[in-house]
Amino acid sequence: MAREQWGTKLGFMLAAMGSAVGLGNIWRFSFVAGNNGGGAFLLLYLGCVFLIGIPLLLTEVSIGRKAKSDVVGSYQKLAPKTPWFFTGFFGIFSAFLILSFYAVVAGWSLYYFFHYITGDFFQAPGEGGFGAVFGGFISQGWQPLFWTALFMAMVIFIVVSGVKRGIETANKIFMPLLALLLIVLAVFSLSLDGAMEGLKFLFQPDWSAFSKPSIYVQALGELFSLSLGMGALLTYGSYLSDDKKLPGAAIGIGLMDTFFAVISGLVIFPAVFAFSIDPSSGPPLVFITLPTIFEQMPLGGIVGLIFFFALSLAALSSAISILEVPTAYFMRLFNWTRKKSSITVGSIMFFLGIFVSLGFGVWSGVTPIGDRNILDSMDYIASNILLPLGGLSMALFVGWYFRKSTALKAVDLKDDLFGGVWYGIVKFIVPVVILIIFVSSL
Ligand code: PHE
């Protein structure tokens, strides 16, 4: 059977953006930016996107497009009888870890979305506000698992429908819709009295931040939110035909990911500061702080509805790309159909998700790594160890295993200034930089 392909290059780009733009962009990026020098951080991050993110993105996609195979198969094909294919196993392993907790959090988002549809969450039901609502919900046994299962079922449904009919079609709808929803919310948030404070938090440059080493590590660490290192973009790249040129696509994907992160900041921080609330990040920000603000805001019920719809869309489009990594691998390895492979993989991930979910309830005392609960431990292994190793290995593979002419041809660059700069970055700078982030995060 012929390998599946994207219908259009735009379809591929939207799918790759869908992968990159996820929970991380919405609840982490703008908070990290605000706390690390605002506008100064944004400039530094943009520099990192151009200097490291886009070159590495180009590298990852090119491996898949050249080999036309999954994360493991690509290395076996391009470098037979060498251990490079272990890079693929880092990816498969991180896909299992990441999606099993991503689906739990996405399930929470669906739960909130549902309760905004019914209107139940226009005001926090019961005593204790949304802190109590959220704490009470995630610590239950079955309820959160129902929403996680529902989310996984949607992810599996899209992946089962195929690369073009499922993944591409879904992202062609989701990404423009997500952009529209976030822009509407940002305009509304900016119109609130006191929104200026939020803009200052996000954008006012504090140049002195450049003297702190932590800002560089934070900016570099954010790069992995481009979905690099797992093989999601490699796998997506494997469905591209050779006549679709890569450099422009990589720049577009990198820039759009940053755009979505900044727009999310424009949704969240003007509102947070308009209501004089201390910003935080992560789950407490979206599941406690924001609903508390929405309940005091004019039209807040509608804003909440749109926000949790957008959050669920962003999570869904990323989750699809994560499920596709092991799905493609098992399809080839066992000669399974797409349906059998994605249902099997998705079910295993859901099963792992049960542990994650119970980690907020009956197993809240279980802390596998340091004082981290089950979700944070899995996130730690995947984001701090496996993804950096995956990204490092991809850069070394293209920079050192390929000849220069092969590497340049793989990414559609010539041996000119651009090509030379890209090659130097992938060969020398990316490995050094990843090692720095890696060591400093351990
Ligand atoms: N980039 C996604 C986010 O920011 C998560 C993700 C990580 C997706 C790795 C695919 C691979 O939420």
Side-chain angles (χ1 to χ4, degrees):
M1 211 175 75
R3 192 172 172 76
E4 293 171 87
Q5 279 196 352
W6 302 107
T8 61
K9 181 172 164 186
L10 180 68
F12 157 74
M13 286 179 66
L14 289 171
M17 283 171 204
S19 172
V21 177
L23 298 172
N25 300 62
I26 297 186
W27 77 34
R28 236 182 83 82
F29 179 82
S30 50
F31 176 79
V32 171
N35 278 328
N36 285 284
F41 183 89
L42 284 177
L43 273 183
L44 177 70
Y45 179 72
L46 261 183
C48 291
V49 167
F50 273 95
L51 193 70
I52 315 271
I54 292 174
L56 190 54
L57 209 153
L58 194 55
T59 305
E60 178 168 342
V61 175
S62 78
I63 299 174
R65 190 189 60 166
K66 188 171 165 61
K68 307 270 183 311
S69 187
D70 54 89
V71 249
V72 178
S74 288
Y75 293 94
Q76 289 171 334
K77 214 159 161 180
L78 299 176
K81 304 205 179 65
T82 65
W84 282 106
F85 66 91
F86 272 105
T87 314
F89 288 124
F90 294 144
I92 302 280
F93 211 58
S94 28
F96 275 99
L97 287 176
I98 293 186
L99 194 48
S100 52
F101 67 75
Y102 215 77
V104 170
V105 178
W108 300 345
S109 176
L110 285 183
Y111 172 80
Y112 271 63
F113 178 44
F114 176 75
H115 284 285
Y116 274 100
I117 295 178
T118 60
D120 296 343
F121 278 7
F122 286 15
Q123 298 295 325
E127 307 265 305
F130 279 101
V133 169
F134 182 55
F137 169 63
I138 62 173
S139 58
Q140 289 173 24
W142 290 108
Q143 270 247 16
L145 284 174
F146 166 78
W147 294 96
T148 302
L150 182 65
F151 179 78
M152 268 322 275
M154 298 199 273
V155 178
I156 292 173
F157 176 77
I158 295 170
V159 172
V160 166
S161 307
V163 173
K164 191 164 141 188
R165 265 193 31 209
I167 303 176
E168 183 169 350
T169 307
N171 279 294
K172 272 184 173 162
I173 302 169
F174 293 174
M175 295 316 286
L177 185 59
L178 180 63
L180 181 74
L181 296 176
L182 289 176
I183 290 172
V184 168
L185 289 178
V187 170
F188 183 78
S189 184
L190 287 167
S191 73
L192 295 169
D193 281 337
M196 265 318 279
E197 280 306 307
L199 284 184
K200 278 191 197 153
F201 174 77
L202 255 184
F203 292 121
Q204 198 173 61
D206 169 13
W207 303 114
S208 71
F210 281 151
S211 61
K212 286 186 241 150
S214 66
I215 176 178
Y216 299 95
V217 176
Q218 292 271 12
L220 293 167
E222 280 302 304
L223 283 179
F224 278 95
S225 88
L226 281 168
S227 295
L228 294 168
M230 174 191 290
L233 297 177
L234 185 158
T235 307
Y236 275 8
S238 75
Y239 305 124
L240 269 176
S241 55
D242 294 331
D243 58 328
K244 308 279 192 302
K245 297 290 170 250
L246 299 184
I251 294 175
I253 298 163
L255 283 181
M256 286 311 280
D257 183 66
T258 312
F259 168 79
F260 275 98
V262 172
I263 286 282
S264 309
L266 291 179
V267 171
I268 295 171
F269 290 102
V272 167
F273 282 88
F275 288 87
S276 313
I277 293 180
D278 266 343
S280 58
S281 84
L285 172 71
V286 288
F287 295 110
I288 301 173
T289 310
L290 291 180
T292 309
I293 293 171
F294 297 152
E295 107 186 298
Q296 302 164 44
M297 195 187 250
L299 298 176
I302 309 291
V303 172
L305 177 82
I306 301 178
F307 179 81
F308 284 100
F309 183 37
L311 190 69
S312 307
L313 280 181
L316 191 53
S317 60
S318 295
I320 298 167
S321 73
I322 305 176
L323 181 60
E324 181 61 18
V325 174
T327 296
Y329 171 61
F330 287 115
M331 276 170 74
R332 179 185 57 83
L333 187 69
F334 299 130
N335 217 352
W336 280 351
T337 59
R338 173 166 281 283
K339 188 167 166 189
K340 181 166 179 188
S341 188
S342 55
I343 294 179
T344 309
V345 172
S347 306
I348 298 172
M349 288 164 168
F350 172 70
F351 178 74
L352 293 174
I354 296 177
F355 295 83
V356 175
S357 191
L358 294 180
F360 292 93
V362 284
W363 289 343
S364 57
V366 181
T367 51
I369 299 181
D371 52 6
R372 295 175 178 84
N373 64 19
I374 298 177
L375 188 155
D376 291 337
S377 300
M378 288 166 75
D379 185 20
Y380 179 81
I381 298 174
S383 308
N384 293 28
I385 300 174
L386 295 173
L387 294 185
L389 284 180
L392 175 67
S393 182
M394 287 173 188
L396 293 176
F397 182 64
V398 172
W400 295 86
Y401 181 79
F402 282 176
R403 251 179 287 142
K404 186 175 180 188
S405 55
T406 317
L408 285 170
K409 189 158 176 278
V411 295
D412 303 319
L413 288 175
K414 290 196 216 40
D415 199 352
D416 54 12
L417 180 67
F418 259 130
V421 168
W422 167 80
Y423 187 66
I425 288 177
V426 169
K427 194 170 175 117
F428 300 108
I429 301 186
V430 171
V432 170
V433 164
I434 295 181
L435 275 178
I436 295 176
I437 320 178
F438 187 58
V439 172
S440 70
S441 74
L442 286 185

